[in-house]
Amino acid sequence: MKAAVYREHNKDPRKVVKIEDIEIPKIKHNQVLIKVEAASYNYNDLWGIWGDPIKIPLPHISGSDIAGTVEDVGENVLDIKKGDRIVGYANLTCRVCGKCTSGKEYDCLQRQVWGFQTGPLWGGFAQYTYLPEVNVIKIPDNVSFEDAAAISMVGLTAWHMLVTRANIQPGQNVLIMGGGSGMGIAGIQIAKLFNCDVIATAGNKEKMNKCLELGADHVVNHREPDWYKKVRNLTKDREGVDIIFEHIGKSVFPKEVSLLNMGGTLVSTGATTGYDSEIDLRYLFFRGLNLMGATQGTRGGLEEIIKWTSKGKIKAIIDTVYPFGDMVMGHIKMMESQLFGKLVTTPQKL
Ligand SMILES: [Zn+2]
């Protein structure tokens, strides 16, 4: 089979990521073999290629978001059958510890992100791959492989932030920072699913317009110095913001904290502009704020995302689909350009 393999780290993916012929993997009793039809890109693919900020097993196949068809199943696999259309759930956890068995698999100390921390040669940018049965979810016929691969990681993470962590309620106002990013696109749509009043932010006019097309009620340019004053004006009726969906970090964090209303919640899943932020602690205690973090999410959260995608209430937004022979160009585009939506490659189409 063909797979996108790298055997050493490099800052330029073109120098190390090569399409190679390697053996189709053999599965164990609890695993399923998957013919990969679509795989989408994430920033952790670049971290793996760079070997920075963490080292990963080499030789390596990246790719944590896949959809495809089940080709074979191990003898102890119960619910998944050959021919099933599935999407992968990239959180590999122990499934027996106290965290896993109380529904908090995201806090499992054994947790690994498949396709990033796993290997050697175990990831999604390949014509075939394998996962434990518990890490695949069946997808309905009306959800395409490309859409399933594109929505899975960002959808699951955004669902976890808003639903599991921030306990979103109908009628709240929700500030989606970076609404034009993969995460933001999912966040806007989930908040609208809950009939919230959504204020999205974006860094340019084109992305601002696209946020409105996705259903945001208001949009603000977070690169303008007085962006937070506009948000404050828009949220006067509730004396501030109920929930802030945050992944931008240092450049906006102190202002975000000042925007929350009494008992308001900020949930963070990243810090693109820097992580050593300041905070005025008076807001934290006087307003009884909830500042919380989130990473990825649960298998159940991914089932919800696929269900709402099937119903047409959440849309996967795809920027570009690359034939597999050109897949390294996806890594380059992610490094160099402003995207609106996900990048996808199709391993069966060279
Ligand atoms: Zn566990």
Side-chain angles (χ1 to χ4, degrees):
M1 69 163 186
K2 306 281 186 203
V5 177
Y6 55 93
R7 296 174 181 276
E8 56 184 326
H9 299 298
N10 197 294
K11 283 285 173 190
D12 184 348
R14 284 167 291 205
K15 291 193 173 144
V16 288
V17 180
K18 306 290 174 197
I19 303 297
E20 292 189 10
D21 278 303
I22 61 169
E23 297 256 317
I24 292 178
K26 299 200 169 31
I27 52 170
K28 294 188 180 139
H29 63 94
N30 65 333
Q31 295 173 336
V32 303
L33 181 68
I34 303 152
K35 184 178 183 185
V36 182
E37 298 287 350
S40 81
Y41 297 69
N42 293 288
Y43 279 97
N44 63 24
D45 306 330
L46 291 177
W47 300 335
I49 295 165
W50 297 339
D52 178 28
I54 66 165
K55 297 283 179 216
I56 44 94
L58 293 174
H60 200 82
I61 298 173
S62 287
S64 305
D65 269 355
I66 59 116
T69 312
V70 173
E71 193 74 11
D72 194 11
V73 298
E75 60 196 28
N76 291 351
V77 169
L78 299 172
D79 188 44
I80 300 291
K81 293 177 187 60
K82 185 178 174 185
D84 282 346
R85 301 173 78 251
I86 59 94
V87 66
Y89 167 61
N91 270 336
L92 302 179
T93 66
C94 79
R95 315 221 63 98
V96 292
C97 75
K99 299 290 187 187
C100 282
T101 53
S102 59
K104 294 186 173 178
E105 59 210 70
Y106 45 88
D107 284 338
C108 176
L109 287 173
Q110 310 294 322
R111 187 170 74 85
Q112 283 194 312
V113 179
W114 173 68
F116 174 44
Q117 294 161 288
T118 56
L121 298 176
W122 190 24
F125 291 131
Q127 291 185 317
Y128 292 88
T129 191
Y130 60 100
L131 281 167
E133 177 184 22
V134 71
N135 286 88
V136 301
I137 290 171
K138 289 184 217 174
I139 56 175
D141 287 342
N142 74 340
V143 177
S144 72
F145 293 122
E146 282 87 353
D147 282 357
I151 197 66
S152 57
M153 181 90 81
V154 288
L156 143 87
T157 308
W159 187 272
H160 184 57
M161 290 171 75
L162 289 172
V163 183
T164 314
R165 298 289 283 146
N167 189 26
I168 190 171
Q169 299 294 314
Q172 287 184 316
N173 65 36
V174 180
L175 176 61
I176 305 286
M177 300 301 295
S181 66
M183 288 293 306
I185 289 168
I188 289 170
Q189 297 185 84
I190 293 167
K192 287 315 295 180
L193 194 62
F194 281 80
N195 264 330
C196 291
D197 193 44
V198 175
I199 305 159
T201 78
N204 64 52
K205 196 76 200 160
E206 193 188 345
K207 286 195 175 191
M208 288 168 77
N209 287 336
K210 287 187 169 168
C211 290
L212 294 172
E213 282 169 29
L214 279 173
D217 300 282
H218 316 276
V219 65
V220 168
N221 186 337
H222 62 234
R223 294 228 168 95
E224 290 176 0
D226 64 345
W227 69 272
Y228 62 96
K229 292 181 186 165
K230 291 182 178 166
V231 175
R232 190 166 287 143
N233 261 329
L234 289 166
T235 55
K236 267 188 198 150
D237 59 330
R238 291 179 71 83
E239 290 166 346
V241 183
D242 292 305
I243 297 176
I244 300 181
F245 179 96
E246 154 60 18
H247 50 112
I248 293 185
K250 186 176 181 173
S251 69
V252 291
F253 193 85
K255 289 287 185 260
E256 288 171 346
V257 170
S258 77
L259 289 170
L260 289 165
N261 59 16
M262 296 295 285
T265 298
L266 180 150
V267 58
S268 160
T269 195
T272 324
T273 61
Y275 51 79
D276 53 342
S277 182
E278 289 187 354
I279 174 171
D280 183 336
L281 293 168
R282 290 171 297 182
Y283 289 115
L284 181 66
F285 54 78
F286 277 131
R287 293 192 190 167
L289 302 182
N290 307 293
L291 302 182
M292 48 181 63
T295 304
Q296 299 217 349
T298 65
R299 187 184 191 282
L302 182 53
E303 285 183 354
E304 289 288 335
I305 287 294
I306 295 297
K307 177 178 85 186
W308 291 109
T309 304
S310 173
K311 288 173 183 283
K313 296 285 187 183
I314 291 178
K315 290 188 174 61
I317 307 292
I318 295 174
D319 183 288
T320 310
V321 179
Y322 293 94
F324 199 50
D326 297 332
M327 71 81 61
V328 75
M329 297 316 294
H331 294 310
I332 303 299
K333 177 143 186 176
M334 201 162 43
M335 283 167 65
E336 293 180 348
S337 338
Q338 290 270 335
L339 307 174
F340 191 83
K342 295 288 285 184
L343 303 175
V344 174
T345 186
T346 49
Q348 305 303 323
K349 296 171 194 160
L350 287 169

